[in-house]
Structure formats: C-alpha cells, structure tokens
Amino acid sequence: AEARFQRVLTKRPRMVACLQGLGRLYMQLGRIEDAVALFDRIRAIDPSAGYAGLIHARQFPEDEETLERLEKLARTPGMEGSLRAGLLFQLAACWDKRACHDRAFTLADEANQATRRKLSYDPAAHRQYCARIRHAFVRDLFEHRPGCGHRSRLPVFVVGMPRSGTTLVEQIIAGHSRIHGAGELGTIPRVIAGLERWERHTGSGRRYPDCVDDLDPVVVNGIAKGILKELQEYAPEADHVVDKLPHNFQNIGLIKLLFPQAKIISVRRDPRDVAISSFFNDFAARHSGMGYTYDLDWIGEQLGDHNLLMHHWHQLFPGEILEVHYEDLVDDPEPSARRLLEYIGVEWEPQVLEFHKLDRPVKTASVWQVRQPLYA
C-alpha cells in the first residue's frame, strides 16, 4: 500500500486524498513522525484537512485563533451538509486538551447531533436482538450436542464495549512470542451472515440467532475448520491468534459452540469513561454496529445490553471467560498481564509490558494511545 501511495504522489505530490491515505497508513503502523510530516504537507494545501490529521496524531494547534478559524471552516456549508461534523469532533478534542470541558462537550454534542440525523439506529431493536441471543443460546443447546465444535486452542477472542481497552489488551498479549494479534476480524460476523444466507435458501427461513438449533456437529465442525484455516494463514507459527472485534461479546455463544476450548477475554471499564470516550469519537462504522455512539441515551442502552449479555455468558460458561478491568491494568499492569498470559496458557515474557514498541499495524480508534507507554 505504501509503495502504491508513493507512486501516485510522485506524479501528483499535492493530491490530498493520497497524502491522507498514506498518513493514516503510517499512523496504523506506528510511524507517528512520518504521519505528522505528511499532515503538515496537507495543511499547506488544505488547512482543515491538514489540521484534522495533525489533531488525530495528537499534534494540537497552540493558539486559539487557529481553533476559531477551524470552527468557522467546520460551519461552512459543503458537500457534507451545513457543517462538517468530523472537524467539530477534532475541535472538541482540542478544547478538551486545553481543559475547556464545557466548550469541548458543546462541540462534541453538536457534531453528534448532526451525525445522528443521518442514522437509523434503534436501541429497542438492539435490545430485542440481544434478548433473542440469550433465548437461543441456553444450556440445553450445548447439552444436546456433546462433542460439538473443534477442540483447537488457537483462537483467542478479546471482547468488550468499544473504548473499554480491548486494543490495549490485545497489544499486550500480542507482545508474546507465541501469540499473534490479528486485529478486529470480521470472521464471526461473516459466519453469521453465511448462516442467514443458508437459512434463506435451503433452511427454515429463520434468522440468526433463532436458527442456531438447526446446526449439527458436522456443520459446526466444518465451519470451525474454515475459521482455523483463515486464522493460521495470519501467523502459521503462532500457538494462538487473537481476534479482538469488541462486539463479539454478542457472539460468545456461537464462539463456544464452534470452539469449546477457545479463550475469551472480556474487558470492562467504568461505563462513564466508555460513554464519554465513545461520544467524543467519530467512528467509521457509524452505519453498522457503531451507530449508537452518537447519542448518550443510546450509549446507555448499549451498556445495559452488554451487561445483560455478559451476565448470561458467565452463567452459561462459569469460570471460562476471563474478565479484565481496564483500571487495574493501567494502575498496575504486570499482575493483569500475568493473569492474561496464564489464562491463555503461555509462559510469562516481560516484553509484553513494552507493548507500545510492538511492530504491528493497529487500525482502531486507539491507534495513537497504544503507541505510548501506559498513562493515567
């Protein structure tokens, strides 16, 4: 990808979209200084785009005059509408950094309102979906399918509410020599989509999760083998491969049906911190699973749904899911890191505490944070 970006820039050195793409790539790879240099180049061509990139890299404008000018730009009507919500989110981060919290929150609230008007998120529908999951995945389902699923211990799943610390946990355990962090994989959601296609064309026509009782051991083992093949391709020599898609907390029942021995790490954080962090972030997946983050009431509903589901999974799989608290990890990382590695079943390696030096791409909203040593 880098080579292709560079080829385009050789011919069109002022192409903002290409400079932005390469800058985002450098951020994912942890090459923060290279990213900042590119965002500086963009600033000379398109100030608002350049400053947006610099703010994302935590290079905040030092003078209020620049912030006022950027706010004017954000309120200039354009293709995005009457205001540029993305830039308002960035400005909210700037004022938050300056400890002007009222102004930061006002801008974040305005950006969220503007984005919310384009969304069709329904918290009641999500709650009903979670209730159907709890109804579908019950003890009888597993007791009537003894020996169902693949016994592999290769998969490790890190789950939790977005902004709860899932990326940090993955980055720590991926520092182990026998563990590969594959990032947020769409593997389990793709399995669910495949089940729904199968039901539409040849099955009962029921949707997921209601259709899980149609699965027999042969089908389950076939699906599990396909997932293992995909995971092994990421790191053929690794003993464990981590999928840290946060919303897999909804899919723990299916994961345990496919992989009874899989390790599942649930990350918890003070819900107020989860809520505010979500409210101040502009997520790329707003039209899919992240639409709830643009309204504090919706975030509250989602937190409630998460708690109900995690209570259900702990009741169904007692002692099989490791719960890690973000605050404990930040306050005293080594004991939590030792618990994580012991749960997965690998020996202690001290380099996992230097997770910020790990040479691997990170594509989540925590792209900047996990390149820093732990801070409070």
Side-chain angles (χ1 to χ4, degrees), residues 247-307:
H247 269 90
N248 269 336
F249 72 78
Q250 296 180 170
N251 305 323
I252 287 175
L254 180 59
I255 289 168
K256 294 295 282 183
L257 192 64
L258 294 166
F259 300 105
Q261 303 295 322
K263 299 298 184 180
I264 299 172
I265 298 163
S266 166
V267 188
R268 305 298 293 256
R269 185 185 185 186
D270 188 310
R272 295 166 297 184
D273 289 330
V274 170
I276 294 301
S277 186
S278 298
F279 198 65
F280 268 70
N281 268 282
D282 188 15
F283 291 94
R286 66 180 67 163
H287 294 293
S288 53
M290 301 301 293
Y292 71 90
T293 61
Y294 297 89
D295 183 283
L296 285 172
D297 285 336
W298 293 352
I299 294 171
E301 295 270 6
Q302 185 89 186
L303 284 160
D305 295 344
H306 171 257
N307 281 345

Side-chain angles (χ1 to χ4, degrees), residues 91-127:
L91 289 168
C94 292
W95 289 107
D96 186 51
K97 181 71 174 175
R98 288 171 167 265
C100 298
H101 302 303
D102 286 345
R103 185 157 188 181
F105 199 91
T106 298
L107 289 169
D109 193 31
E110 187 178 357
N112 278 293
Q113 285 184 48
T115 307
R116 203 158 59 232
R117 286 194 286 269
K118 303 171 187 175
L119 299 174
S120 57
Y121 179 76
D122 184 351
H126 184 264
R127 177 148 294 182

Side-chain angles (χ1 to χ4, degrees), residues 303-368:
L303 284 160
D305 295 344
H306 171 257
N307 281 345
L308 285 169
L309 268 176
M310 289 314 302
H311 177 74
H312 177 74
W313 299 135
H314 282 297
Q315 294 289 108
L316 191 56
F317 310 111
E320 297 182 39
I321 301 167
L322 179 68
E323 196 157 278
V324 176
H325 289 267
Y326 174 83
E327 291 80 7
D328 295 340
L329 187 58
V330 171
D331 288 344
D332 192 3
E334 186 172 327
S336 294
R338 285 184 178 274
R339 278 182 69 223
L340 286 163
L341 298 184
E342 183 182 353
Y343 169 71
I344 293 169
V346 295
E347 296 293 324
W348 169 251
E349 292 182 357
Q351 77 265 15
V352 300
L353 297 177
E354 297 186 326
F355 60 89
H356 54 288
K357 299 178 182 177
L358 197 57
D359 183 17
R360 59 181 290 268
V362 175
K363 300 182 181 181
T364 71
S366 307
V367 60
W368 179 82

Side-chain angles (χ1 to χ4, degrees), residues 1-267:
E2 181 183 6
R4 292 187 180 200
F5 279 129
Q6 295 287 14
R7 279 204 300 274
V8 174
L9 289 172
T10 300
K11 297 177 182 178
R12 300 182 65 184
R14 293 172 61 83
M15 186 177 178
V16 170
C18 192
L19 290 165
Q20 286 175 314
L22 184 56
R24 285 192 292 268
L25 176 63
Y26 285 156
M27 287 289 291
Q28 291 170 9
L29 294 172
R31 294 167 57 179
I32 309 297
E33 289 182 7
D34 290 336
V36 168
L38 281 172
F39 296 143
D40 260 329
R41 280 174 62 185
I42 295 170
R43 184 171 57 172
I45 305 165
D46 181 339
S48 62
Y51 276 116
L54 288 167
I55 293 166
H56 184 57
R58 296 302 190 270
Q59 302 292 311
F60 298 100
E62 294 182 2
D63 59 299
E64 292 192 10
E65 186 183 336
T66 298
L67 296 180
E68 300 287 357
R69 196 164 64 247
L70 288 170
E71 190 170 335
K72 244 180 220 180
L73 276 171
R75 299 184 190 288
T76 304
M79 290 180 71
E80 198 177 323
S82 58
L83 58 81
R84 296 167 65 173
L87 189 51
L88 285 184
F89 276 112
Q90 300 282 24
L91 289 168
C94 292
W95 289 107
D96 186 51
K97 181 71 174 175
R98 288 171 167 265
C100 298
H101 302 303
D102 286 345
R103 185 157 188 181
F105 199 91
T106 298
L107 289 169
D109 193 31
E110 187 178 357
N112 278 293
Q113 285 184 48
T115 307
R116 203 158 59 232
R117 286 194 286 269
K118 303 171 187 175
L119 299 174
S120 57
Y121 179 76
D122 184 351
H126 184 264
R127 177 148 294 182
Q128 182 62 29
Y129 178 65
C130 292
R132 285 166 52 215
I133 290 173
R134 296 195 302 275
H135 180 75
F137 289 97
V138 291
R139 201 168 303 283
D140 281 354
L141 177 75
F142 294 88
E143 289 178 351
H144 292 163
R145 288 163 177 76
C148 192
H150 201 288
R151 314 309 285 182
S152 172
R153 294 174 180 267
L154 179 76
V156 175
F157 295 89
V158 177
V159 304
M161 287 290 291
R163 310 305 295 157
S164 65
T166 54
T167 302
L168 174 60
V169 167
E170 184 207 26
Q171 190 81 342
I172 288 172
I173 60 179
H176 194 279
S177 61
R178 306 307 305 160
I179 301 174
H180 175 75
E184 296 185 1
L185 303 180
T187 309
I188 300 300
R190 281 198 301 274
V191 167
I192 292 170
L195 287 176
E196 293 208 321
R197 278 196 305 274
W198 183 84
E199 288 287 348
R200 282 198 302 272
H201 295 303
T202 58
S204 63
R206 293 181 300 163
R207 300 197 66 185
Y208 181 87
D210 315 300
C211 64
V212 293
D213 56 8
D214 284 342
L215 296 174
D216 60 38
V218 174
V219 173
V220 169
N221 289 340
I223 294 171
K225 285 178 181 176
I227 294 173
L228 284 176
K229 184 175 182 295
E230 180 182 337
L231 294 180
Q232 285 163 345
E233 287 172 354
Y234 283 101
E237 304 303 319
D239 292 339
H240 303 280
V241 176
V242 184
D243 177 352
K244 64 130 298 203
L245 188 69
H247 269 90
N248 269 336
F249 72 78
Q250 296 180 170
N251 305 323
I252 287 175
L254 180 59
I255 289 168
K256 294 295 282 183
L257 192 64
L258 294 166
F259 300 105
Q261 303 295 322
K263 299 298 184 180
I264 299 172
I265 298 163
S266 166
V267 188

